[in-house]
């Protein structure tokens, strides 16, 4: 079971910023960018892996690199950092035009995570429940996909969401422009947890990870 380590407020450089944006002026913000995924698309197709699962793993890998994206409030309302967080993601049901929210434990090994995610999706593919696995653990962050349209802006308005410090990521439909494939990525962040610098670093690290693609090179699953 993951543990949340309390932050030492006496030595935390962010303590004043955290207090201001959590209490004095609580706010969230959203940053929407187009990420060049030309090389990623080619690599994931060659690997035989599932694109959405690969996208989810890449997002989780970046989130788990940085304390600001694993931030939470403990039972006393004080800031703490999870040792590890896991992606909770939406899966669409076309027959009912609804979706389920699933979660899979993050594994730094992409192949292991991919196989676990594929099994989880298959297990709950016929479920009409919103949370077929039950409520996700506290140490999750949200990922959703809107593959039917591209977008240049996306914002969630969450009532009474000021204590929600985990990032929320929404992916859009690919856009082809000038011979490149672009993926709309919307990152919603609580300002108490992260500033524009941290959001920009998240985007840049995601770009680099998707452009690399070496993590996709493990052998594809055997055909069944």
């Amino acid at each position: 079971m993951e543990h949340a380590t309390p932050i030492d407020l006496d030595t935390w450089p962010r303590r004043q910023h955290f207090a201001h944006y959590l209490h004095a002026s609580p706010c969230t913000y959203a940053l929407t960018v187009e990420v060049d995924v030309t090389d990623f698309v080619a690599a994931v197709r060659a690997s035989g892996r599932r694109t959405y699962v690969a996208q989810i793993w890449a997002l989780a890998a970046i989130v788990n690199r940085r304390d600001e994206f694993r931030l939470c409030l403990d039972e006393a309302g004080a800031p703490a950092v999870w040792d590890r967080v896991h992606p909770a993601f939406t899966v669409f049901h076309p027959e009912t035009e609804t979706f389920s929210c699933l979660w899979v434990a993050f594994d730094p090994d992409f192949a292991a995570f991919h196989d676990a995610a594929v099994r989880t999706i298959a297990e709950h593919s016929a479920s009409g429940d919103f949370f077929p696995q039950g409520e996700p653990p506290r140490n999750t962050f949200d990922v959703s996909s809107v593959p039917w349209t591209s977008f240049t802006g996306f914002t969630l308005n969450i009532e009474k969401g000021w204590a929600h410090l985990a990032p929320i990521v929404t992916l859009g439909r690919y856009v082809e422009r000038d011979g490149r494939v672009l993926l709309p990525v919307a990152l919603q962040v609580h300002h108490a947890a992260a500033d524009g610098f941290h959001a920009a670093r998240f985007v840049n690290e995601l770009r680099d990870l998707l452009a690399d693609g070496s993590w996709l090179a493990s052998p594809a699953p055997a055909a069944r």
Side-chain angles (χ1 to χ4, degrees):
M1 179 178 295
E2 276 74 29
H3 174 70
T5 303
I7 292 176
D8 184 351
L9 294 178
D10 292 334
T11 61
W12 192 29
R14 191 170 180 77
R15 64 188 182 278
Q16 295 179 16
H17 305 74
F18 178 84
H20 179 81
Y21 288 118
L22 187 68
H23 302 297
S25 183
C27 69
T28 64
Y29 65 91
L31 175 69
T32 302
V33 298
E34 289 183 331
V35 175
D36 189 327
V37 292
T38 308
D39 296 333
F40 166 78
V41 170
V44 76
R45 287 174 179 169
S47 74
R49 305 289 183 179
R50 293 195 184 181
T51 298
Y52 187 35
V53 174
Q55 292 170 339
I56 293 168
W57 182 89
L59 292 168
I62 301 302
V63 167
N64 276 287
R65 288 181 186 178
R66 302 294 178 182
D67 287 357
E68 61 265 21
F69 295 120
R70 304 198 314 279
L71 204 63
C72 66
L73 298 176
D74 64 18
E75 293 181 358
V81 177
W82 291 112
D83 295 337
R84 180 172 292 184
V85 294
H86 310 296
F89 53 92
T90 58
V91 174
F92 187 64
H93 303 305
E95 64 281 359
T96 59
E97 298 184 352
T98 62
F99 65 88
S100 293
C101 182
L102 307 178
W103 73 277
V104 175
F106 175 68
D107 193 317
D109 183 315
F110 166 66
F113 175 86
H114 179 276
D115 292 349
V118 169
R119 288 194 300 269
T120 300
I121 293 170
E123 180 179 353
H124 300 289
S125 61
S127 174
D129 293 339
F130 188 48
F131 293 116
Q133 298 164 285
E135 286 284 340
R138 289 186 59 220
N139 58 323
T140 56
F141 73 100
D142 295 313
V143 180
S144 61
S145 178
V146 187
W148 309 278
T149 186
S150 180
F151 52 77
T152 56
F154 189 98
T155 304
L156 293 167
N157 299 302
I158 304 174
E159 184 182 11
K160 301 178 182 178
W162 303 125
H164 185 90
L165 301 181
I168 303 173
V169 184
T170 306
L171 307 174
R173 183 175 183 172
Y174 289 152
V175 178
E176 293 190 24
R177 188 182 304 125
D178 299 326
R180 308 300 293 178
V181 181
L182 306 175
L183 172 67
V185 178
L187 172 65
Q188 185 143 329
V189 180
H190 198 304
H191 211 338
D195 304 321
F197 167 83
H198 306 99
R201 182 167 63 187
F202 177 98
V203 171
N204 290 333
E205 291 185 346
L206 180 63
R207 282 193 175 111
D208 291 343
L209 184 60
L210 293 178
D212 174 8
S214 60
W215 47 277
L216 288 161
S218 57
R224 290 182 175 86

